[in-house]
Amino acid sequence: MQSKLPSIKEIITKHELFTRKSLGQHFLLDTGITDKIALYAEDLKNHNVIEIGPGPGGLTRSLLNAGAKTVTVVEKDDRCIAIMEELQEAYGKDRLHILHGDALKSNLLETIPAPRKIVANLPYNVGTMLLLNWFDDIYQQGNQAYSSLTLMFQDEVAQRIIATPDTSEYGRLAVISQFLCECRYDFQLPPSAFSPPPKVHSAVITLTPRSEPLFPVSKPALEKVVAAAFGQRRKMLRSALKSLGVPVEQLLEQAGIDGTLRAEVLTIEEFCKLAQIYEDNE
Ligand code: SAM
């Protein structure tokens, strides 16, 4: 039955799925690419897979064809819901579940049973915001929240997630991402891989939540310290950290960190140390 499905191109024509910029719509039409994303997500058979923004359903089909136990799609656009309902006829309602709504407002942990994986070609306009929401879930439940997240971002965002110290991409996003997850860069895609092509390159990355954060410190404290440090990334730490409203020289001394350094050279361990002391003295 599945082999009789129309191509994604035909689906787009049939449903008059002209793209909406406000919904960050850049579709993948090539099965080779969507199959590759499913492959990088690994072990779908034992997981309830969540796909944000299935659009015309290319990646959805690849996830189902790769044997995902179930796929739950979360989609805002009514036109794509009609496409998903057709796909449900082909793959069965027991395997493909449809949530019509805004992924930013969806409580995935309450709605979908564990073990879960997220696999998505994210709408770029809300991609980082979605990731930060999932970090809250991961901070609460570690790898019980999600076994992994395989996500397509703008390449520039992917680079900021995997960045290491002493690079211009290193900042708040790298520290928080790597504090909670192991982060792997999978592959890059040129604009021509999408319809319509975006202005920039894209990349697929896989985040594997740690069972516990990298160091024992609270995420809110770490976020405050990192926000202050990178809020003025060109300044020395002893000046940038003043916005924390605590005696900065003392904080740096207790952490054994040279106040003349700039935020971008500090390791995640050093940020965690600062956050631990900041939290203890607050
Ligand atoms: N997965 C499809 C593909 O790869 O061809 C489409 C990806 S497209 C980059 C992003 C999709 O997310 C669109 O289908 C869009 O309608 C949907 N979307 C945008 N904002 C959303 C939101 N807040 N909640 C759920 N879906 C959203």
Side-chain angles (χ1 to χ4, degrees):
M1 188 160 184
Q2 290 143 29
S3 59
K4 288 192 201 131
L5 284 171
S7 72
I8 296 299
K9 222 172 183 172
E10 287 164 343
I11 288 284
I12 289 174
T13 309
K14 178 179 164 198
H15 288 265
E16 297 178 12
L17 194 60
F18 53 88
T19 46
R20 293 194 174 138
K21 216 173 174 185
S22 61
L23 288 173
Q25 293 181 335
H26 296 280
F27 301 137
L28 288 168
L29 311 185
D30 181 344
T31 313
I33 295 175
T34 52
D35 283 353
K36 189 170 170 186
I37 299 172
L39 201 66
Y40 274 87
E42 294 171 7
D43 185 27
L44 298 174
K45 291 194 170 71
N46 295 310
H47 284 89
N48 295 313
V49 178
I50 302 158
E51 185 194 358
I52 307 302
L59 180 57
T60 320
R61 292 183 192 189
S62 292
L63 294 167
L64 288 160
N65 291 340
K69 189 173 157 203
T70 67
V71 175
T72 300
V73 292
V74 186
E75 175 61 65
K76 216 172 164 181
D77 189 334
D78 311 9
R79 300 168 306 165
C80 304
I81 296 296
I83 297 171
M84 286 302 113
E85 283 165 354
E86 282 181 11
L87 214 54
Q88 226 173 16
E89 281 171 31
Y91 287 93
K93 284 191 175 170
D94 53 332
R95 284 192 72 211
L96 177 57
H97 306 155
I98 305 172
L99 292 180
H100 186 187
D102 186 341
L104 283 169
K105 296 181 188 149
S106 308
N107 187 332
L108 301 178
L109 300 190
E110 261 179 23
T111 322
I112 297 139
R116 313 172 190 89
K117 275 180 186 260
I118 303 180
V119 186
N121 170 17
L122 292 175
Y124 289 156
N125 42 354
V126 293
T128 314
M129 238 183 304
L130 285 166
L131 183 65
L132 295 179
N133 285 352
W134 298 329
F135 282 165
D136 287 340
D137 295 342
I138 294 167
Y139 182 57
Q140 299 299 329
Q141 297 192 16
N143 55 8
Q144 300 301 304
Y146 310 108
S147 307
S148 67
L149 302 87
T150 298
L151 306 170
M152 174 96 70
F153 284 102
Q154 287 160 283
D155 191 59
E156 174 261 327
V157 177
Q159 298 293 350
R160 287 200 282 124
I161 291 170
I162 59 153
T164 49
D166 220 359
T167 60
S168 58
E169 290 85 10
Y170 187 62
R172 295 163 68 171
L173 196 55
V175 174
I176 298 300
S177 301
Q178 295 170 38
F179 171 66
L180 294 170
C181 303
E182 281 179 42
C183 305
R184 182 186 80 199
Y185 188 94
D186 292 335
F187 59 93
Q188 196 193 52
L189 282 174
S192 59
F194 302 84
S195 173
K199 289 200 175 75
V200 293
H201 278 68
S202 302
V204 174
I205 60 170
T206 294
L207 310 183
T208 307
R210 303 178 191 282
S211 51
E212 298 280 334
L214 200 51
F215 299 101
V217 60
S218 85
K219 180 167 160 280
L222 180 62
E223 279 169 336
K224 270 193 206 165
V225 167
V226 173
F230 285 106
Q232 297 176 298
R233 65 184 294 146
R234 289 185 189 287
K235 290 203 173 166
M236 292 180 195
L237 283 169
R238 67 179 178 211
S239 164
L241 292 178
K242 273 190 189 143
S243 63
L244 286 174
V246 296
V248 174
E249 297 292 347
Q250 200 180 315
L251 174 67
L252 287 160
E253 198 185 308
Q254 283 184 39
I257 293 168
D258 177 356
T260 64
L261 294 175
R262 288 192 298 172
E264 65 185 31
V265 303
L266 256 52
T267 61
I268 299 176
E269 183 170 12
E270 287 170 320
F271 277 118
C272 289
K273 192 98 208 275
L274 277 173
Q276 271 163 349
I277 296 163
Y278 167 70
E279 196 169 35
D280 288 349
N281 293 339
E282 218 184 4

